Amino acid sequence: MSIEQSLPVRKARRLGMKDAGRPRFVILLCMVWLMLVLLVAAGADHLAPFSYTEQSLLNRLKPPAFLSGDPKYLLGTDGLGRDVLSRLIYATRMSVVIAILGSMIGATFGTLLGFLAAHFRGLIEDVVMVFVDFQASMPFFIIALAVLAFFGNNFELFLVVVGLYGWEVYARLTRGLVLQANGQGYAFAIRTLGVHPARIYMRHILPNILSVLIVQLTLNFPELILIETSLSFLGLGIQPPQTSLGLMLGEGRNYLATAWWTGVPAGIVIFLTTLSISLVGDWLRDKLDPTLKSAEI
Amino acid sequence: MSGRVVLQDIVKVYRSGGGLFRGKTSVRAVDHVDIMLEPGETLGIVGESGSGKSTLGRIAAGIESPTSGHVSLDGRSYARIGSAAWRRERRGVQMIFQNPSKALDPRMTIGAQIGEAMQAHGLSDMQGRKARMEEMLALVGLPGMGGRYSHQLSGGQQQRAVIARALVLEPRVVVCDEAVSALDVSVQAQIINLLNDLKARFGIGYLFISHDLGVVRHISDRIAVMQKGVIVETGRAAEIFANPKHDYTRSLLAAVPAATPAERRARERRIA
């Protein structure tokens, strides 16, 4: 930082203006929550007090410890006497893994096709866009149900199906952004320097459109959790005895009036996680944009 | 010294696709133009907007191919646009655009962009490139500003950065397409002087395209006047200004504001 840059920053601080470089309190909270979720997902085996399959039929539907339940079961037990906390921890891991891997699959696949369409134009672009339109016009659930019902259910297939949710948005977004960037001066000007097109795409256009893609990712991520939830709820997703947040929510639904603690914790984790990702994604977009950064100071 | 660009019988026709209720139309942007840029020479191309001067410049730089005709740099025709050979050729001929803020990547420092230009042509190693980048920035009047992003620079500074990025490749020919038109008048003079200094230093040939005759007069050795895709007059810069032969040249010159009251009175006498 040179002197002429730090001066206005100091001035802005004195005037009590927001420092764009530092995240707000809410964002920090969201980050802490997301870190927690990731830690829980990573260390599920060590954190869970019980195995997620361990049943104790004598202790069915025990309320949480803080509601005068058994102190052994911090969040109570479900209809088969399984520890809700342990199941929540394992379910979080399952859902986070599916959402992360799934969104990576969708984002990579869609972005790649978008780049290909924008680079080659012509027939390749037409074919890609036909598939995009096809995907966009078919209800995703119909496709997912058909694929899972036809090929049977296994984890890898389920992951791919969930991952492909939303790829067409990335493809269309990327194609448009790349076309726009190609038409703009900088990509053209750099091409006239003799720089290889692959390098222009990776080093110039991708960083310039990344903020939009990241926002799309943060929009897509919660949707993936919901898709996983819905499919598991319908019995086509994660199969018992495996568990996921969606499955827990679905199972808990039956006991909502009598034993709310079997489903509500999963719902809270889904809610807080998706909200946090959206907020952090928004903050990240501002952070990634050097022009916004200086404008806010 | 080399850097001779020869354009022979250049024709460029643009076809518009035609709308739902309109037929296809075609525009002849450049119509049978022959022109030559001598090594180390500054050739000014003037004309009103739509006269085809920018198209001619892009064809001369090899970033657009003519519909028919032949372009060569030092006797060699340009390779197919986008090919590996074409990319290598870019070292010899560079372009400077009208709007410098659009020519720079907003997310990469100008130093990195200058380094990238060198890297694309395999010029020196990482350290050599860094030293060369600093040297080039100092040369264009941006010493030590390699870490800046384009939005942290003024318009004039951005154009200096663009010039540094183009000239670091040591091109023999630089096509300046309205390179100063988007800048303030005071900054225009600085950039023109910079271009002149760099020309004296490196012996570059400029194809200087502008609608502003005052600017063109200041920098050009020779001037070509373009109207509706055709070159109507060429000659030494001083000659064109002192003794314009073509009606169109005369009307262009008459549109330039007189620099001094004495000149204005002289002009008014001529018209009267």
Side-chain angles (χ1 to χ4, degrees):
Chain A
M1 278 273 168
S2 63
I3 294 164
E4 59 225 12
Q5 269 177 317
S6 64
L7 271 176
V9 174
R10 255 185 284 155
K11 198 174 167 192
R13 286 211 183 114
R14 206 173 53 232
L15 292 173
M17 284 184 198
K18 195 172 61 189
D19 184 356
R22 210 166 38 203
R24 284 177 298 140
F25 182 66
V26 179
I27 302 296
L28 275 178
L29 272 186
C30 293
M31 285 176 165
V32 167
W33 173 257
L34 289 177
M35 285 307 292
L36 193 73
V37 165
L38 283 179
L39 280 179
V40 164
D45 291 323
H46 305 287
L47 289 171
F50 295 91
S51 162
Y52 63 97
T53 50
E54 192 182 312
Q55 302 178 7
S56 166
L57 290 174
L58 289 174
N59 291 316
R60 293 177 68 239
L61 298 175
K62 282 268 189 290
F66 53 86
L67 287 178
S68 65
D70 190 331
K72 241 177 33 177
Y73 304 109
L74 224 54
L75 287 178
T77 57
D78 68 1
L80 292 170
R82 295 174 298 194
D83 181 38
V84 171
L85 179 63
S86 303
R87 286 182 67 71
L88 188 66
I89 287 170
Y90 280 102
T92 302
R93 167 154 84 179
M94 180 61 90
S95 291
V96 165
V97 164
I98 288 176
I100 288 179
L101 291 181
S103 47
M104 287 301 142
I105 292 174
T108 311
F109 184 66
T111 306
L112 190 67
L113 282 181
F115 267 108
L116 290 178
H119 179 71
F120 289 107
R121 310 298 308 265
L123 186 67
I124 293 179
E125 182 179 29
D126 290 343
V127 170
V128 170
M129 293 324 281
V130 162
F131 276 108
V132 165
D133 289 337
F134 177 75
Q135 175 87 61
S137 59
M138 281 283 278
F140 178 76
F141 254 90
I142 305 282
I143 301 176
L145 289 179
V147 169
L148 291 173
F150 194 77
F151 292 104
N153 192 321
N154 61 57
F155 184 74
E156 290 79 15
L157 184 67
F158 182 63
L159 196 61
V160 169
V161 167
V162 171
L164 287 185
Y165 175 77
W167 74 268
E168 82 276 7
V169 183
Y170 291 104
R172 202 177 343 208
L173 210 55
T174 306
R175 172 183 160 271
L177 289 167
V178 172
L179 287 179
Q180 194 189 358
N182 272 336
Q184 268 173 5
Y186 73 90
F188 179 75
I190 291 163
R191 187 159 304 136
T192 68
L193 290 172
V195 178
H196 195 276
R199 195 183 157 84
I200 296 177
Y201 285 127
M202 291 309 294
R203 291 289 308 276
H204 295 280
I205 294 182
L206 191 60
N208 272 288
I209 68 173
L210 200 61
S211 55
V212 182
L213 293 178
I214 283 176
V215 171
Q216 176 56 34
L217 192 75
T218 59
L219 288 175
N220 191 245
F221 195 87
E223 282 177 4
L224 275 192
I225 292 185
L226 297 181
I227 286 280
E228 182 270 318
T229 305
S230 315
L231 285 172
S232 299
F233 178 76
L234 289 174
L236 283 159
I238 298 302
Q239 301 295 325
Q242 293 286 322
T243 184
S244 76
L245 292 175
L247 200 61
M248 270 188 85
L249 199 64
E251 286 174 348
R253 191 188 59 109
N254 299 326
Y255 300 98
L256 203 56
T258 51
W260 57 265
W261 57 86
T262 54
V264 169
I268 290 174
V269 172
I270 293 175
F271 169 71
L272 286 180
T273 309
T274 52
L275 181 72
S276 298
I277 292 166
S278 295
L279 289 176
V280 170
D282 232 24
W283 171 80
L284 206 60
R285 183 199 50 188
D286 294 352
K287 188 86 182 136
L288 285 173
D289 195 335
T291 54
L292 265 182
K293 211 167 15 183
S294 71
E296 260 182 57
I297 289 172
Chain B
M1 200 160 26
S2 59
R4 179 179 280 110
V5 180
V6 182
L7 291 101
Q8 288 168 308
D9 202 24
I10 299 295
V11 177
K12 180 74 190 183
V13 181
Y14 287 113
R15 291 191 172 79
S16 75
L20 194 54
F21 301 109
R22 271 182 318 173
K24 289 185 180 176
T25 52
S26 61
V27 178
R28 233 166 232 271
V30 179
D31 199 1
H32 299 287
V33 165
D34 288 281
I35 205 166
M36 177 153 56
L37 176 70
E38 297 288 349
E41 174 191 50
T42 302
L43 173 61
I45 296 184
V46 291
E48 62 195 6
S49 64
S51 59
K53 56 189 192 306
S54 281
T55 307
L56 190 67
R58 290 158 73 96
I59 291 170
I63 60 177
E64 198 164 328
S65 52
T67 309
S68 73
H70 187 253
V71 200
S72 65
L73 171 61
D74 290 332
R76 289 176 51 171
S77 321
Y78 287 130
R80 188 176 57 79
I81 291 174
S83 64
W86 178 83
R87 284 201 300 274
R88 279 194 297 278
E89 279 169 12
R90 297 299 96 204
R91 218 193 136 178
V93 50
Q94 277 295 310
M95 254 195 112
I96 294 168
F97 300 93
Q98 174 168 9
N99 194 336
S101 67
K102 281 188 182 163
L104 294 166
D105 184 341
R107 281 173 194 272
M108 197 185 255
T109 62
I110 56 171
Q113 293 186 58
I114 293 169
E116 183 178 45
M118 283 185 275
Q119 198 190 351
H121 293 275
L123 303 184
S124 89
D125 56 8
M126 191 109 88
Q127 262 170 348
R129 282 203 293 269
K130 183 146 171 46
R132 182 97 179 88
M133 181 265 283
E134 297 286 355
E135 184 191 340
M136 207 65 218
L137 280 173
L139 207 59
V140 298
L142 300 174
M145 294 199 191
R148 298 264 186 114
Y149 290 93
S150 71
H151 70 270
Q152 293 169 327
L153 300 174
S154 69
Q157 288 174 325
Q158 286 173 347
Q159 195 62 296
R160 286 168 191 270
V162 171
I163 290 169
R165 191 177 65 176
L167 294 195
V168 79
L169 299 175
E170 295 168 352
R172 288 159 282 171
V173 177
V174 175
V175 176
C176 306
D177 187 0
E178 303 275 12
V180 298
S181 308
L183 306 173
D184 285 349
V185 177
S186 60
V187 181
Q188 279 190 3
Q190 292 170 14
I191 298 291
I192 295 281
N193 289 337
L194 173 66
L195 286 172
N196 267 333
D197 291 348
L198 294 170
K199 177 188 167 186
R201 193 180 170 107
F202 296 115
I204 314 160
Y206 288 131
L207 193 64
F208 197 90
I209 298 158
S210 181
H211 65 273
D212 187 338
L213 277 102
V215 168
V216 171
R217 175 188 209 167
H218 191 77
I219 196 169
S220 302
D221 303 317
R222 266 194 318 142
I223 289 176
V225 182
M226 252 186 121
Q227 183 192 22
K228 292 178 182 158
V230 180
I231 290 186
V232 294
E233 187 169 357
T234 52
R236 311 292 312 168
E239 215 168 294
I240 294 258
F241 274 87
N243 187 18
K245 300 220 164 42
H246 197 273
D247 284 343
Y248 181 66
T249 314
R250 257 177 246 144
S251 64
L252 273 183
L253 287 176
V256 179
T260 61
E263 197 181 317
R264 195 180 67 225
R265 278 193 290 277
R267 263 198 219 179
E268 278 163 0
R269 264 201 303 283
R270 233 181 293 152
I271 292 162

